[in-house]
Amino acid sequence: MTTMTIALADTDGQDPAYYAGRADAYDDHRAGTDLDTLIVRLGYLMNAHPDLAYVTGYADRVLEIRAETAAVTAAETELAHTLGGAL
């Protein structure tokens, strides 16, 4: 089942394809696609997709997912070190 992501009607002058790319990356990730696969898909999009705004939106969301994943990993590592010393 696919989750439909709706972009706001007011795109603040940005190309709607940009938001479509962000939404597709978001949907792919929510559907269980891991970060490595998203990065590979982004590589294919960069080489073959005709709409630069779409690719830019997809790339922006993939980079955000990467940053979120790194932040969670860092927080969990810090917690493990803190709790590990207390045990």
Side-chain angles (χ1 to χ4, degrees):
M1 184 172 145
T2 303
T3 303
M4 185 175 179
T5 305
I6 310 264
L8 298 174
D10 179 17
T11 59
D12 196 31
Q14 189 81 289
D15 189 339
Y18 172 83
Y19 294 102
R22 287 184 59 85
D24 284 349
Y26 175 86
D27 290 343
D28 288 347
H29 184 63
R30 292 281 296 175
T33 305
D34 65 357
L35 181 59
D36 292 332
T37 304
L38 289 173
I39 292 170
V40 169
R41 287 182 184 173
L42 176 58
Y44 287 127
L45 287 172
M46 289 169 63
N47 288 326
H49 201 282
D51 193 339
L52 179 61
Y54 178 89
V55 176
T56 302
Y58 197 97
D60 283 351
R61 185 61 193 133
V62 169
L63 290 173
E64 289 171 3
I65 292 167
R66 183 177 175 206
E68 291 165 4
T69 303
V72 168
T73 301
E76 289 175 346
T77 301
E78 179 67 24
L79 183 62
H81 283 283
T82 303
L83 292 178
L87 296 176

